[in-house]
Amino acid sequence: MSNRPRLFNRLPQTLEERYFSKIRPKLYKLHGDHHQTGVRKGRTLAEHFDSACQFVLTVSKLAGIADQKRAVLLAATAVHDLNKIDPSGRKVKQLARDKTFLQEQLEQADIAGLITSEIDLELVRRLIERHSGHNVSDGSIFLPQEDDDLERLTAILIAADLLDLGLENQEQLFRKLQTELTVALGRSSHLFRVRVSEDRGYMTALLLGACDEVLRTYGLTPLAIFPDGELFEGEIAPEQDLTREIAASWQAKIDAVFGNNIDQLVKPTKDGIKIRTPAIQHDHQEVLSAVLALLEKKKANFKLDKVNADLDKWGKQKVDKAELDHAASVGLLPLNNSDEFALAEGLKAAYLSYRQIKPELSPHQVWEKIGVHVGFSPEQLSALEVFDAQYGRPLFAAKAVQTDLEGIKAAILESLQMRKDCLQQQKGADVSEELIEAVAQTLNCPFVGGLDLSKELTAYINANPRERCSLGPTKSETEDLAEMPTGTKVQVFSNRLPGGMSSDPRRQAEPITSLAYQLMTVGANFPSVKKEPPYYLHLTLPKGSSPELLRIWRECLQNWAATNGDGGPVSIDWLKLYKENSFEFRTEKIVGFAFPKRPEFVHATVIIPLTWGDTNASVALLKSLRLALELSLSSEFGFPFILSSNMQVEASTNAYGQVEGIPSSLQPLLATENYQSGHYNRQEAEVILKRLRCLGNLVQATASLKKFDDCLYDLACAAAQPFSLYYVLLRWILREQEEPNLALMWSRICEPLKSLESLMPDENASLLTKYLKEAARIAAEAHLQGSSFKRTAQMEPFANFIAKVRSQKSYMDLEFLFAALVRDYYDRLNRISDYGGTKTKLEQIKNYYSVIRKLYEEVYQARPEKLLVDQKALESAYLFFLEEARQEIKNKPETKAEASNA
């Protein structure tokens, strides 16, 4: 389909970028409708070529193949199934040796530019001929010009061809792939599949990112991405259980998200200023600035009497007089002003931060480290031992600080770095059990320990019905959440507790499930004011996508989000979308795409909330679906999608698209023959997009921007019976313009209206249109109308027919009815015409009403009640068809010739 959003706003720099920007769209254009059979049933030839091309790009780079040979390998892969392309049914070997045919296919796929010489073309031929795995029969393997890398390149192409085989036994497929990759990489090769049991949005994306990060440290490389996980390759498999390490990396990524607001992570408490663990993942200077800001507040709130009470409590009451005197003799004196109080609080903050290091430092070790930075002597450090390490020492050590605040700053920064280093070294030693269990529950791979399913089943069975999770299945203990994240529609079933308001019910949620929704609210670029729940657009990378596509996709989303410099939602220029079918992003404050703030929120899937403010739910669905289809069906993207009002959905592996919650009023417009199951295949999705495009063009040509949504909803509902669109369109034209030019308006709406009718065929409506257009043509040629150009005068002969039908008596048969119509209207024209009636005019009126009679008999079975139900639609359509007929008559060559002669 044309006019798609472009993935690249720059010239491609690498071979991968060239493939995604130019070659991949061409493959879908050429082979997008070519369905396969057998083990690849359900996938088009374009999808097979695409998966294979991405795989060879990834593996050839991993294998260290030279760029020019990678380009040749890519060209061969893009056309490797020549037998499926050729309509004559010749074999691959025959076709590969047909040089003219091979060059034609390379040019059609827009990859001829990758072939720079006859040697390259010969290499393409040999790769295609050998990719099926059969023995070489032409003896070329013994020739001296045989390429040294041919065996490795062939193995890569064979592996790419095998990747999307629908084998029931995955181990069998892995063995085949491993055999080829061992040849391609020149070493032992093993494959490992990582799957996720459920998609929790940003939470799952961070988990896959953590798994990727940990497995890379053990020498495993991601080869392909699937909707439910990722495929890794490595020479050897890690022997130990990596559950805790993955959980630690996951925890760090989650902490980094919530740590954006450092002020929330550096908190003043009654025990001192505490720096929470998530803060150490961020810029330490920002953390230090937050600590210094709190020290200034402490200084401003200094109260001497309260400090004296603390000095008495931690000094005289805890320490002997002799020890106090000894401390005083080495310069450890009680503080007595606000500056010294700020230093004391700084010392306490540094102490608390050092104590968070794992394994723990003793109080003596902590104060030794602090002493190095602030200039304490060994005698002073020894004298401090008698005081309480956390509460007493800062009060008596503040006066002895030699470096003022600079030494305390250095101590805090050192503690933060040590905490960060220790956390990375521990690899999961300090991770909550909840997160470790969540990794075991979600990930299915050889490196993650199994889950005790009996424990999960017991939790589900024993859960109090009032304490079950409102957001999904109950797998662990839940907690009461009085307020869910703003702007999320989460309730799957009613779970209101006594005392809760009906408008804002209290819900129960598991900690991990609740965390997933909180990640969405802080991780997406929602508008600052969110009143209405969004729609969620779930886009999934196609099966077998390369890590490079993920990188480019992330970069694309970041660039789109950057359109709004304030970090809010991003909308599109609706006029350009409806007039030109093109995307142009612009800044918005209230409505639009709430793109993710971080690239790591995107992995196998991405969730994009669509916010519409206070609008009709059906209109929000229509606009959301239009945007979803425009993105999903782009030849540069080609991403399967789900549109839902829920953040957590169960994806279907066999469907291209899915829309949840279509209201009955929109079913005729948005449903297809196979939609009963709730899913679209790619062809059905394209049909729905064409319908929505036609609908958008009609709205744009008819209504003003202020009335756009209202008109869209009216037309969408009217599409249940496409013929009724004529009446709705005429009503909106008259509403928007007092004296509309119907000829001009018809020229604007006729094309999209005809296209929409062709996309929603109705045999009855087709026959109705045929007869009504024929009658309008006769009326235009014979000037069968009233004496003015008003609407009532234009439809006068047809209105007379409607009036006769309405007043038809039981004794009036059709012969009587239409004979009376002909006579009455002939007399009417005689009265208003300057030239009087003629036999020709009488024949024209007879012809006109004979067509109307066919319409009445064949479409409505001569039943007045059925005709009168469609009266307004018939009259509106007649007016438009009359304008069309006049325009056709005006544009006829003979008519123009007569006009020029006159």
Side-chain angles (χ1 to χ4, degrees), residues 260-276:
N260 272 343
N261 190 351
I262 300 298
D263 294 340
Q264 299 298 316
L265 301 176
V266 181
K267 289 290 189 180
T269 69
K270 62 182 180 60
D271 299 317
I273 298 172
K274 292 184 177 180
I275 303 171
R276 292 180 57 197

Side-chain angles (χ1 to χ4, degrees), residues 167-393:
L167 298 181
E168 294 182 4
N169 189 344
Q170 190 183 59
E171 292 183 5
Q172 181 185 354
L173 175 60
F174 272 23
R175 283 196 298 271
K176 290 176 178 286
L177 287 171
Q178 286 169 173
T179 301
E180 302 302 332
L181 290 176
T182 298
V183 175
L185 301 175
R187 57 168 173 78
S188 177
S189 177
H190 296 88
L191 294 177
F192 309 96
R193 183 73 182 269
V194 174
R195 298 176 183 270
V196 292
S197 60
E198 59 182 339
D199 186 6
R200 296 175 185 259
Y202 293 173
M203 192 84 169
T204 304
L206 291 178
L207 174 58
L208 286 172
C211 185
D212 192 310
E213 186 178 271
V214 171
L215 292 183
R216 282 178 186 271
T217 64
Y218 287 90
L220 302 186
T221 304
L223 289 188
I225 299 171
F226 294 85
D228 62 346
E230 207 162 355
L231 179 67
F232 288 84
E233 186 277 335
E235 188 170 359
I236 57 174
E239 296 179 359
Q240 65 269 45
D241 188 338
L242 301 180
T243 306
R244 189 171 288 273
E245 286 187 47
I246 294 172
S249 179
W250 193 19
Q251 178 74 69
K253 292 179 180 296
I254 294 170
D255 291 345
V257 174
F258 287 107
N260 272 343
N261 190 351
I262 300 298
D263 294 340
Q264 299 298 316
L265 301 176
V266 181
K267 289 290 189 180
T269 69
K270 62 182 180 60
D271 299 317
I273 298 172
K274 292 184 177 180
I275 303 171
R276 292 180 57 197
T277 301
I280 67 176
Q281 305 290 338
H282 298 276
D283 187 351
H284 291 172
Q285 288 294 337
E286 289 186 16
V287 178
L288 181 60
S289 298
V291 174
L292 294 177
L294 292 176
L295 290 179
E296 287 297 321
K297 289 184 179 180
K298 294 274 188 182
K299 181 179 176 180
N301 296 328
F302 172 73
K303 294 179 181 178
L304 185 58
D305 56 344
K306 188 176 183 303
V307 171
N308 285 335
D310 288 338
L311 286 168
D312 185 61
K313 177 181 179 180
W314 300 108
K316 294 178 181 179
Q317 297 179 22
K318 300 285 185 181
V319 181
D320 295 339
K321 186 176 186 305
E323 292 172 328
L324 282 174
D325 291 342
H326 174 66
S329 68
V330 295
L332 301 177
L333 299 170
L335 65 87
N336 58 11
N337 58 53
S338 60
D339 290 329
E340 293 170 356
F341 178 66
L343 291 175
E345 289 295 324
L347 291 170
K348 190 188 295 186
Y351 173 83
L352 291 171
S353 183
Y354 275 116
R355 291 284 285 169
Q356 292 295 315
I357 297 170
K358 304 292 183 179
E360 287 187 357
L361 298 176
S362 68
H364 175 74
Q365 291 173 316
V366 170
W367 278 100
E368 278 188 338
K369 288 186 174 295
I370 294 174
V372 171
H373 292 289
V374 300
F376 291 156
S377 65
E379 293 79 9
Q380 289 173 326
L381 287 173
S382 177
L384 281 173
E385 292 291 330
V386 298
F387 297 96
D388 182 87
Q390 180 175 342
Y391 301 103
R393 295 181 193 182

